[in-house]
Amino acid sequence: MNNRERFQAILHGRSADRMPAVHFGYTPEVVKKWVEEGHLPKDLLDLEDYSYELEDVISAKLGFDFGLHASRVTTTELFPFFQEQLVETMENGFEKWLNCDGVIVLSKQDAGSIPAEIDHLLKDRASWETYYLPKLVYSEERFSQEEAEHIKAERQRGNPVGLHCGSLFGRIRDYLGIVGFSYLLADDEELVQEIFHTVGSLCLKAVERTLETGLSFDYGHFWEDMCYKNGSLVSPKLFETYTADYYRKITSLLLRHGIDLVSVDCDGKIDDLISIWLSCGVNTMFPIEVGTWDASIEPWRKTYGPSLRGIGGMKKQLFALSYEDIDREIERLKPLVALSGYIPCPDHRIPEDARFEVVQYYCEKIKEIL
């Protein structure tokens, strides 16, 4: 079997010859460390972060079969992005930057953490119509022939390919911030409705445009990242009210094109949102971030049955430890795999402290799990 056949078989509850070793990418810091340690060629650092070539080289060295990255053939992001620029250099060494989403962030070189959001350009109707609305309309320039060719190449290699279907809440949360979103919802609900409609329409049109090409995909994929360790950042009712209609339109379109696997990437404790996603045609949870709340497909499967699939749920922190820790993790994952419809995968990008030889060992062992 090739990787695509394994992927399809496992997520549809059928037998496969073995489990594929799947990853979710690598942090730039761990790539640099592995180069310095001599595990990877030095010219790898000259490649663009997260380029296909970079991932192929690293995956082959480690023993991964493929990475789970849905292709953005027709982008649903801001187009064009805001030009990143330095706003202010502070005496304590921190800097204020305007990032590509129009957010003012506070960062420090080599800080090793996500920059703090301290302000947002999007605040009201004037800023929406001036800065954002023009960047969220469909144009043919959004279509990438390069991505289309990559999809064809991946299918020829026998790897599963996904179609990125956009984000119906997560990117809006990025543009406004959760506090800004909350205020705007209270101050101008009509504008909030317009923003969701604009973003949803763009995502639907992007999916339509891509599928019109005749390209074949194994799964559709959404990105949300709208939860934290205690649950959803907004009430499930609010999420359903503003996103369910476009979720259903897009998943119905995918199904008409023979795509019956639809995943959503959302970190944090997602339990309160799963029933909404399932009702909207999203049936695969990813990356099942274990976190301090011990996320696992097992309790979800007991609640929702075999129609719920999962990819992820492997504790990425263990890559910094020992072979014995990996053995224990494999044993923990075995009964979850036995539920069927589940593929283990590190629950985020492989972090800076990961040991190259331990990741290699994981790849060897995970392929034996079936």
Side-chain angles (χ1 to χ4, degrees), residues 60-233:
K61 290 278 188 180
L62 288 167
F64 281 111
D65 290 303
F66 60 89
L68 199 80
H69 298 297
S71 185
R72 302 171 189 265
V73 181
T74 308
T75 180
T76 59
E77 303 290 335
L78 295 173
F79 191 83
F81 284 115
F82 287 94
Q83 185 69 41
E84 294 190 359
Q85 55 183 289
L86 179 63
V87 176
E88 180 185 349
T89 300
M90 305 174 72
E91 292 182 359
N92 59 5
F94 281 87
E95 296 175 334
K96 293 181 182 179
W97 282 84
L98 176 72
N99 74 9
C100 63
D101 289 328
V103 180
I104 307 295
V105 297
L106 188 65
S107 64
K108 190 174 186 179
Q109 192 171 10
D110 299 325
S113 61
I114 298 173
E117 298 180 4
I118 58 176
D119 203 359
H120 300 75
L121 289 185
L122 182 54
K123 299 176 185 293
D124 51 25
R125 179 165 292 279
S127 53
W128 162 250
E129 294 180 349
T130 301
Y131 300 118
Y132 284 84
L133 182 57
K135 295 177 179 291
L136 290 168
V137 296
Y138 177 79
S139 70
E140 192 58 24
E141 295 171 288
R142 290 177 172 272
F143 183 84
S144 170
Q145 188 61 45
E146 182 181 355
E147 283 291 301
E149 293 304 317
H150 171 70
I151 289 297
K152 295 175 185 177
E154 283 297 283
R155 288 193 75 83
Q156 291 232 320
R157 293 170 63 187
N159 287 331
V161 294
L163 170 58
H164 200 285
C165 301
S167 170
L168 300 180
F169 180 84
R171 298 301 282 142
I172 294 172
R173 188 262 304 169
D174 281 346
Y175 305 149
L176 280 161
I178 195 63
V179 174
F181 173 79
S182 302
Y183 275 115
L184 192 61
L185 186 63
D187 295 338
D188 193 344
E189 186 176 3
E190 184 177 341
L191 175 57
V192 171
Q193 293 171 345
E194 181 180 326
I195 292 172
F196 274 98
H197 173 69
T198 300
V199 170
S201 297
L202 173 59
C203 292
L204 178 60
K205 178 61 179 176
V207 174
E208 288 175 338
R209 172 66 182 91
T210 302
L211 293 176
E212 284 171 0
T213 66
L215 289 168
S216 296
F217 295 90
D218 295 290
Y219 63 99
H221 184 74
F222 293 88
W223 178 90
E224 294 298 358
D225 270 12
M226 53 173 295
C227 296
Y228 71 123
K229 66 178 183 178
N230 292 327
S232 176
L233 292 169

Side-chain angles (χ1 to χ4, degrees), residues 230-248:
N230 292 327
S232 176
L233 292 169
V234 298
S235 74
K237 181 178 180 181
L238 185 149
F239 176 65
E240 183 174 27
T241 297
Y242 285 104
T243 68
D245 184 44
Y246 279 101
Y247 263 118
R248 292 190 177 108

Side-chain angles (χ1 to χ4, degrees), residues 290-358:
V290 179
T292 58
W293 52 98
D294 292 328
S296 166
I297 192 175
E298 185 174 19
W300 304 340
R301 181 60 64 77
K302 287 179 180 177
T303 301
Y304 302 108
S307 62
L308 183 143
R309 286 91 161 183
I311 302 172
M314 180 270 168
K315 300 175 183 177
K316 61 186 178 297
Q317 297 90 344
L318 299 181
F319 289 138
L321 303 180
S322 66
Y323 296 154
E324 291 76 18
D325 290 289
I326 294 299
D327 287 338
R328 283 190 287 271
E329 181 69 352
I330 295 293
E331 290 303 311
R332 185 184 73 86
L333 292 170
K334 279 183 178 179
L336 305 182
V337 169
L339 297 173
S340 80
Y342 170 66
I343 297 176
C345 173
D347 64 354
H348 222 284
R349 291 185 177 88
I350 295 177
E352 180 180 3
D353 57 1
R355 297 170 57 195
F356 193 87
E357 65 277 9
V358 173

